[in-house]
Amino acid sequence: MLDLCLDASWSLHLTSDHRTARLAATELQTFLGQFGAPALPLTSAPHGPRILLDHGPSGDGFVRTTDAQGLRLRGDGPRGLLYAVYDLLEALGCRWLTPDPGGTHVPALSTVCLPGLAVADRPAFAHRSLIIGHDLFLAQAEAWIIWAARNRLNTLFIHTTIHEPAFGACRLATWRACRRQLLPLIQDRALRLEIGGHHLRDLLPRRFFRKAPELFRYDGTRRTPDYNFCVSSPQALAYVQQSAEAFARAYPEAEVYHLWPDDLRDGGWCHCPACARLTPSDQALLATNVLAEAVRIHQPQAMVSYLAYHDTEAPPTSASPHPAVQLLTAPRLRSYAAAIDAPVNQVVTAHLTGNRPLFAHQAVFEYYLDGLLFKASPPPLTRIIAADLQAYRANGVSSVHALLTGDRPFAWTPLNAYLFARLAWTPDSDPVALRETYATARTSSAESAKHLIEAYDALEAAWQPVLARDPASDHVMRMNLIPALDPVNAPPMDALDMLTEPQRPAEQRLEAMLATTSQLQQGQQAWASLAPVAHPDLAAEAAEWQLAAELLQFFRLRQQLYVLVARKAAPATLRETLQEAQASLDVLRAWAQQHVPPAARPGHLLLRTIFQLHLDHIADLYLLKPWHRLGLRARRASDLALMLSRVIRP
């Protein structure tokens, strides 16, 4: 039997000239050298033992076998061959934990011996996607693209906007400016590309309203250009179709186009006599069908996504999708304290199941890396991600996306990125074992890995009472994401802001949050055991953990304020807790001064000001004198205007 330990007699035999196959060979050469193997030449006519690199026409699956000449790697397609190479390198101990400098782990081996065990593997989901959702992350896209491919994600989705401030999406102009640089990286790895966002309103310019108000929605009283258009207007549909075709011509690199309705929870649809009989889902699907017709004129194989989100989650009742339309479910208001198929999330899965017979292709847009939803600090979701992906697979979902966005670049990439990438390929993998693999690669000993796992365990448990929510009763929560004219009186709120929660559930949530204080203390002790002197490379990861702990402390104090208000506590008690919450918010701001790059700091602090408005709201209603209330409004208006001016590009 051939000895599979590498020496200078070995070579790499590449049978293909495909750019992705060439990259596979280069990656194998590079990392084998980092392991300590001799430099293996790349040849089309090997003499002696060799690693054969071969592929079929298409697909992500691969096979690894041994034969008399050495090792054979064959991919179903060029991308499958690339994944075969990465699988081999993983078998030798390589890990691509994060795209951060220091996020790659390559052990030094005295002798590099290839594994003799045969392997055949293919992914559970046809499409596994990272969504780049902010200019901050688009600036880091080279590292993210390389990391994504090494972890067998096969799709990149550039989530775009043309509106300011550009939170939660990349500026479309930024993508145009950098795509020439990024497209070769994407094409080398044979990654699929998707592009777009909430662009439906952009396809019918608001300036048309003055001359043709009948193109725009009727709100029950009058025509208005504020949100989505009138889908019963042939003229509006014709113009939207023309604009969509132009969009496809401008961005021919995409395989899927996202031209969604407004990012609005409800109330943005037309109520004219012709549209009144149509549900929001019907109106959205009619518009999407028109977009699909337009896009197919220029891109015959392209798809257009229909976004099931907020008031369009329920299945359409009087419209059928165009063959080029795929379903994209975005369950943003779900509970992340439980898996997507848990009873508390039943209303979400019911919509997913109801839409299944209508759409040939289903995709899911998840928020595991969303720094906006999770207030700049995505919680570790070790078991949730695994259970979610198992449930999505069982529901017929073929594409899974994870949104990477936020108000700052991460000091260290959240653990969820590694978990999502690994579980998107094999949802049945043990997520706890994956986390152990991560911790072992990040530290120098089993004892250190144990402490890192303890820290993440504590943090994950402490997040639970914050994440718990009931989507079915969400109507009682006043969600106000659009700043009011008086933001002190009506501060912006999102899914984790519980200002309007009824008293008894608010008290129960506070009790649960208080019970997790000891867990965070245990997490702090675990980090203390991971002394920075011994583990300087963990400093950024420790800073991210500490931010999450401080954020949870603020949430607890804010929740305590809400409960005290409901109990009609004495002003002195309310004032004392308000001061504690203010001090906690000041700690969050101090963290930003130390860890958030200056270019990103205005946007980050702008969103932190929303927390300030939550505290101001309590003070305004229960503690301040009338003249102090006026002064507070003047200060906040000035603060917001200044920060917005720094966030929005001229």
Side-chain angles (χ1 to χ4, degrees):
M1 182 176 178
L2 181 68
D3 183 2
L4 293 178
C5 294
L6 300 180
D7 57 34
S9 68
W10 281 73
S11 63
L12 301 180
H13 178 196
L14 180 62
T15 65
S16 168
D17 195 41
H18 192 283
R19 63 192 298 172
T20 303
R22 293 198 306 271
L23 174 67
T26 300
E27 288 279 80
L28 186 56
Q29 277 183 316
T30 300
F31 281 101
L32 287 177
Q34 291 182 24
F35 280 122
L40 302 188
L42 184 62
T43 178
S44 59
H47 300 284
R50 53 85 180 108
I51 301 176
L52 175 64
L53 305 173
D54 189 21
H55 66 79
S58 65
D60 289 358
F62 60 84
V63 175
R64 183 176 79 226
T65 58
T66 58
D67 61 16
Q69 288 76 47
L71 195 70
R72 297 172 62 95
L73 302 179
R74 178 172 174 83
D76 290 350
R79 195 166 59 212
L81 175 60
L82 183 63
Y83 296 155
V85 164
Y86 291 142
D87 178 77
L88 172 61
L89 294 172
E90 288 167 11
L92 294 171
C94 197
R95 299 290 181 268
W96 298 280
L97 305 174
T98 76
D100 307 278
T104 296
H105 172 75
V106 184
L109 304 176
S110 57
T111 304
V112 180
C113 295
L114 303 176
L117 186 66
V119 172
D121 204 1
R122 57 174 33 87
F125 295 98
H127 306 138
R128 306 164 307 282
S129 170
L130 179 70
I131 306 171
I132 305 292
H134 198 291
D135 283 3
L136 294 168
F137 296 108
L138 193 54
Q140 304 171 341
E142 289 190 21
W144 279 104
I145 290 167
I146 294 168
W147 172 87
R150 287 173 175 170
N151 283 286
R152 301 186 227 172
L153 298 178
N154 67 355
T155 301
L156 192 70
F157 175 180
I158 308 298
H159 185 208
T160 56
T161 184
I162 65 170
H163 300 284
E164 297 285 357
F167 288 126
C170 308
R171 293 174 175 88
L172 196 55
T174 307
W175 169 247
R176 287 198 301 272
C178 69
R179 64 178 167 177
R180 180 176 295 180
Q181 173 188 353
L182 296 179
L183 282 175
L185 284 172
I186 294 168
Q187 293 159 356
D188 284 346
R189 290 154 181 81
L191 300 181
R192 300 170 66 256
L193 186 64
E194 304 187 14
I195 192 167
H198 295 279
H199 286 299
L200 186 59
R201 68 175 305 178
D202 307 325
L203 303 181
L204 183 65
R206 308 292 99 175
R207 68 178 184 273
F208 288 2
F209 180 74
R210 178 175 295 180
K211 292 184 177 180
E214 68 277 6
L215 306 184
F216 296 86
R217 77 181 191 100
Y218 181 71
D219 66 4
T221 304
R222 58 188 174 84
R223 294 283 179 177
T224 173
D226 54 0
Y227 300 123
N228 302 303
F229 59 88
C230 177
V231 300
S232 298
S233 165
Q235 295 86 355
L237 292 175
Y239 196 90
V240 164
Q241 188 172 35
Q242 180 182 356
S243 298
E245 185 183 349
F247 190 94
R249 285 198 305 271
Y251 303 98
E253 62 270 19
E255 294 185 30
V256 179
Y257 294 91
H258 299 269
L259 301 166
W260 309 327
D262 283 302
D263 191 353
L264 188 69
R265 193 164 179 216
D266 56 45
W269 298 98
C270 185
H271 297 276
C272 75
C275 290
R277 61 182 177 82
L278 301 172
T279 67
S281 298
D282 289 323
Q283 293 194 41
L285 184 54
L286 286 171
T288 307
N289 285 343
V290 169
L291 302 177
E293 286 282 357
V295 165
R296 281 286 175 100
I297 293 172
H298 187 69
Q299 298 277 69
Q301 303 303 315
M303 302 291 289
V304 175
S305 70
Y306 162 80
L307 182 64
Y309 175 67
H310 292 340
D311 62 356
T312 63
E313 285 184 339
T317 58
S318 60
S320 298
H322 184 282
V325 171
Q326 66 173 29
L327 174 69
L328 179 64
T329 300
R332 192 176 188 274
L333 298 183
R334 58 169 287 191
S335 171
Y336 281 95
I340 194 68
D341 60 347
V344 71
N345 285 317
Q346 184 176 6
V347 65
V348 180
T349 50
H351 292 326
L352 188 66
T353 303
N355 274 309
R356 182 175 180 177
L358 303 177
F359 294 87
H361 177 76
Q362 291 195 78
V364 170
F365 184 111
E366 266 294 357
Y367 296 85
Y368 307 131
L369 298 171
D370 186 350
L372 296 181
L373 175 61
F374 297 119
K375 316 299 186 182
S377 187
L381 297 169
T382 307
R383 295 167 183 83
I384 297 297
I385 296 174
D388 281 357
L389 294 177
Q390 290 169 18
Y392 287 139
R393 179 185 57 185
N395 224 311
V397 170
S398 57
S399 300
V400 287
H401 304 260
L403 174 63
L404 172 67
T405 192
D407 51 0
R408 64 179 180 90
F410 297 120
W412 184 262
T413 299
L415 173 63
N416 291 350
Y418 181 72
L419 294 174
F420 170 74
R422 308 311 301 177
L423 291 164
W425 181 276
T426 312
D428 293 327
S429 296
D430 181 352
V432 176
L434 282 173
R435 189 181 58 180
E436 184 177 347
T437 297
Y438 173 94
T440 301
R442 285 287 292 141
T443 57
S444 57
S445 68
E447 186 66 19
S448 296
K450 175 186 171 185
H451 292 313
L452 188 57
I453 291 169
E454 288 172 349
Y456 276 118
D457 263 337
L459 188 60
E460 193 157 355
W463 265 101
Q464 287 296 294
V466 177
L467 299 176
R469 62 196 313 275
D470 183 1
S473 62
D474 194 59
H475 63 278
V476 302
M477 303 293 291
R478 184 186 66 188
M479 307 286 285
N480 171 28
L481 303 181
I482 301 173
L485 292 176
D486 183 355
V488 173
N489 181 56
M493 290 187 294
D494 202 351
L496 303 186
D497 302 320
M498 309 299 178
L499 178 61
T500 60
E501 190 172 31
Q503 182 175 353
R504 184 57 188 147
E507 291 176 346
Q508 292 172 335
R509 187 184 301 277
L510 178 59
E511 291 169 5
M513 294 168 83
L514 287 167
T516 65
T517 303
S518 61
Q519 290 167 319
L520 285 177
Q521 291 171 349
Q522 292 169 7
Q524 296 279 15
Q525 292 169 2
W527 275 111
S529 300
L530 290 165
V533 174
H535 299 282
D537 54 329
L538 292 179
E541 193 164 359
E544 287 288 349
W545 192 98
Q546 187 61 38
L547 171 64
E550 298 293 354
L551 181 63
L552 291 170
Q553 165 80 349
F554 173 79
F555 284 157
R556 180 184 66 78
L557 291 167
R558 187 183 63 173
Q559 189 72 15
Q560 189 169 325
L561 271 175
Y562 298 160
V563 169
L564 289 173
V565 165
R567 291 179 176 177
K568 298 181 171 56
T573 302
L574 201 57
R575 184 173 288 106
E576 181 181 355
T577 304
L578 185 63
Q579 289 171 349
E580 287 184 77
Q582 184 65 60
S584 180
L585 179 54
D586 291 342
V587 170
L588 293 176
R589 288 183 171 131
W591 188 96
Q593 293 298 324
Q594 182 178 357
H595 296 286
V596 178
R601 205 171 294 157
H604 177 74
L605 294 178
L606 175 62
L607 295 186
R608 284 293 185 249
T609 298
I610 293 176
F611 288 166
Q612 183 65 64
L613 292 170
H614 295 162
L615 303 185
D616 291 345
H617 181 71
I618 301 297
D620 180 66
L621 288 179
Y622 302 104
L623 296 174
L624 297 182
K625 302 294 185 183
W627 53 90
H628 291 150
R629 296 176 65 196
L630 290 174
L632 175 64
R633 281 164 170 75
R635 290 196 303 276
R636 291 295 171 256
S638 176
D639 292 344
L640 289 169
L642 178 61
M643 282 186 283
L644 274 171
S645 69
R646 292 174 176 173
V647 170
I648 298 174
R649 291 178 176 175

